[in-house]
Amino acid sequence: MGNGMVENIVDLEAELIAIRRHLHQNPELSNEEFETTRFIRGWLEEAGIEIIYDIPLKTGVIAEVKGKEEGPTIALRADIDALPIHEETGLAFASRIPGKMHACGHDFHTASILGAAYLLKHKEKELKGAVRLVFQPAEEKGAGAKRILESGALEGVQAIFGMHNKPDLAVGTVGIKSGVLMAGVDGFQIEVEGLGTHAAVPDAGIDPIVTASHIVTALQTIVSRNISSLNNAVISVTRIQSGSTWNVIPDKAILEGTVRTFQEDVRFQIPGHISRIVEGVADAYGAKATLHWYPGPPSVQNDEVLTELTIKTAVQLGLNVVTPVPSPAGEDFAYYQREIPGSFVFMGVSGPHEWHHPAFDVDERALTVSAQFFATLAKNALDQWRAADQADRNSSSI
């Protein structure tokens, strides 16, 4: 495993399956991907692919395949972290680590982009520029992409491409659309402070549980009454914690939840709406409530020109192109798109379950489909940039 040699597509498929299964058996959580980083470096080095070591990253790998001709730099990104989920697939290569699992398919992403790197290495003489390979940590924490940007790993990159596997799309199908593809993700915590008392004499205290319950109900009116019906938003309270026994009204209640939006203006409106409701409801019940807001990645917004190129590449390879419904899930790939033109696609994997399910799996035939797609896409992007640059020079010399 890991010799990086690509004699034919059968050899490539066997190589990528072995890599994916090795990663699947050895999952590491966000910011803990030390062995995963070591594995990736080893596979790249054995293939003769240059690793950029002077990037200040504790985990994750940045590498590059350079063509013989000078030209732009295009980036391909894969995420490498796993989730704190106990695996229930029954696979022969299931996770060896209890409570940790590649339940979102980042092992598939990593193996696929490694495959693209192998293919590009074998075609490097034909490349009109360079392809930077980004194996990003901590996507599940929503902060890995920011760390990559802060490290300077994408300096000089003209465009970036990435993907997420999509279990409900068949192998050989790619979901591609311009504009919004995935939601912006924000989190919140609400602390409700009341006054504890014996449960038999509630009038002697201020019940934070009753107050919190009314806050949960009132929050649902934001989407139905404050957000235009032409826009989208989801506000979900996902945790309520209060009290420790059956006959005591506690002093405090904690609420946590998430907000998902597609439009930036809606995203910026919601914290104000939540704060108004939280403070107003708490005041009505004599309690005090504080909102803590945790902004996450913005929505994934695909560049129109690059998305046209991804469609042309998929058609060139005989893949089935569909226009996907935007996903309310989030992706920190969106941070890259704030700085660099980018396009993100959904790769069909014929999976039996959705992301984050303990029995999540992918059809491994999608590995070579994905590797070939991203290798071809990178080459096409370099060719398109070179052609556009040449046209600009010709026009300026007239």
Side-chain angles (χ1 to χ4, degrees):
M1 182 178 66
N3 61 24
M5 299 302 292
V6 184
E7 299 299 333
N8 54 53
I9 201 65
V10 175
D11 291 341
L12 177 64
E13 182 174 54
E15 177 86 358
L16 299 187
I17 288 174
I19 288 172
R20 184 253 166 170
R21 292 184 179 186
H22 185 82
L23 292 170
H24 194 85
Q25 285 184 307
N26 298 278
E28 295 179 296
L29 303 183
S30 297
N31 302 315
E32 300 175 5
E33 312 98 330
F34 296 102
E35 285 300 296
T36 303
T37 295
R38 186 175 66 83
F39 295 147
I40 295 168
R41 284 177 176 170
W43 291 319
L44 290 168
E45 287 172 345
E46 290 176 20
I49 295 170
E50 178 188 357
I51 296 173
I52 305 175
Y53 281 103
D54 59 353
I55 300 294
L57 294 172
K58 291 183 178 179
T59 58
V61 181
I62 308 297
E64 196 165 82
V65 178
K66 295 180 181 178
K68 299 299 181 183
E69 299 183 40
E70 291 294 323
T73 299
I74 303 299
L76 301 179
R77 176 270 205 168
D79 38 13
I80 67 175
D81 53 332
L83 285 160
I85 293 174
H86 187 76
E87 183 160 351
E88 297 177 4
T89 61
L91 294 168
F93 53 90
S95 171
R96 295 171 175 167
I97 306 173
K100 298 180 183 180
M101 177 195 176
H102 271 294
C104 205
H106 295 185
D107 53 339
F108 170 83
H109 301 165
T110 300
S112 295
I113 298 304
L114 276 165
Y118 292 168
L119 292 169
L120 288 164
K121 179 63 178 176
H122 280 260
K123 298 287 187 180
E124 64 182 339
K125 292 181 181 179
E126 302 174 18
L127 299 180
K128 297 178 174 63
V131 180
R132 195 162 300 170
L133 306 156
V134 179
F135 296 93
Q136 178 207 303
E139 188 280 330
E140 295 295 350
K141 291 289 187 182
K146 293 173 73 174
R147 195 171 308 141
I148 294 290
L149 288 166
E150 290 164 0
S151 75
L154 295 184
E155 289 181 6
V157 170
Q158 277 75 36
I160 187 166
F161 298 96
M163 67 152 168
H164 206 294
N165 69 84
K166 202 70 167 66
D168 59 344
L169 295 181
V171 173
T173 297
V174 188
I176 307 174
K177 74 178 295 293
S178 183
V180 65
L181 181 68
M182 300 184 76
V185 179
D186 299 305
F188 62 85
Q189 183 185 81
I190 300 166
E191 294 184 40
V192 181
E193 296 180 39
L195 179 62
T197 183
H198 195 292
V201 285
D203 55 300
I206 299 173
D207 193 334
I209 295 176
V210 169
T211 305
S213 299
H214 281 271
I215 288 174
V216 172
T217 302
L219 288 179
Q220 304 313 307
T221 64
I222 294 174
V223 174
S224 66
R225 289 297 176 268
N226 299 126
I227 302 301
S228 168
S229 58
L230 301 177
N231 292 326
N232 315 82
V234 172
I235 301 175
S236 294
V237 176
T238 56
R239 184 173 80 93
I240 302 178
Q241 182 175 331
S242 186
S244 59
T245 190
W246 66 280
N247 62 348
V248 176
I249 291 175
D251 288 314
K252 183 181 287 188
I254 301 291
L255 308 176
E256 286 186 337
T258 184
V259 174
R260 306 297 168 109
T261 51
F262 292 118
Q263 298 85 18
E264 280 292 278
D265 58 335
V266 173
R267 185 186 186 204
F268 292 135
Q269 291 172 24
I270 287 179
H273 291 308
I274 292 179
S275 181
R276 174 176 51 80
I277 285 174
V278 165
E279 292 174 6
V281 172
D283 184 63
Y285 288 91
K288 179 183 177 182
T290 305
L291 170 67
H292 302 281
W293 186 257
Y294 305 106
S299 57
V300 171
Q301 298 275 351
N302 285 334
D303 179 84
E304 183 176 356
V305 173
L306 295 182
T307 299
E308 289 177 2
L309 181 63
T310 63
I311 292 172
K312 290 178 181 178
T313 300
V315 171
Q316 173 189 344
L317 294 173
L319 302 178
N320 178 36
V321 178
V322 299
T323 303
V325 174
S327 170
E331 240 292 347
D332 73 355
F333 186 87
Y335 286 124
Y336 298 131
Q337 295 175 310
R338 290 292 183 91
E339 307 294 332
I340 306 164
S343 188
F344 195 77
V345 305
F346 288 146
M347 185 64 60
V349 293
S350 300
H353 298 284
E354 260 299 344
W355 306 323
H356 296 206
H357 191 282
F360 174 91
D361 194 17
V362 302
D363 186 329
E364 292 175 326
R365 292 177 300 169
L367 285 165
T368 51
V369 172
S370 182
Q372 288 178 305
F373 173 77
F374 279 99
T376 306
L377 178 59
K379 184 177 182 301
N380 287 350
L382 292 175
D383 290 344
Q384 181 166 300
W385 242 268
R386 185 64 175 270
D389 184 56
Q390 186 64 51
D392 288 342
R393 286 200 298 269
N394 290 340
S395 63
S396 63
S397 63
I398 294 175

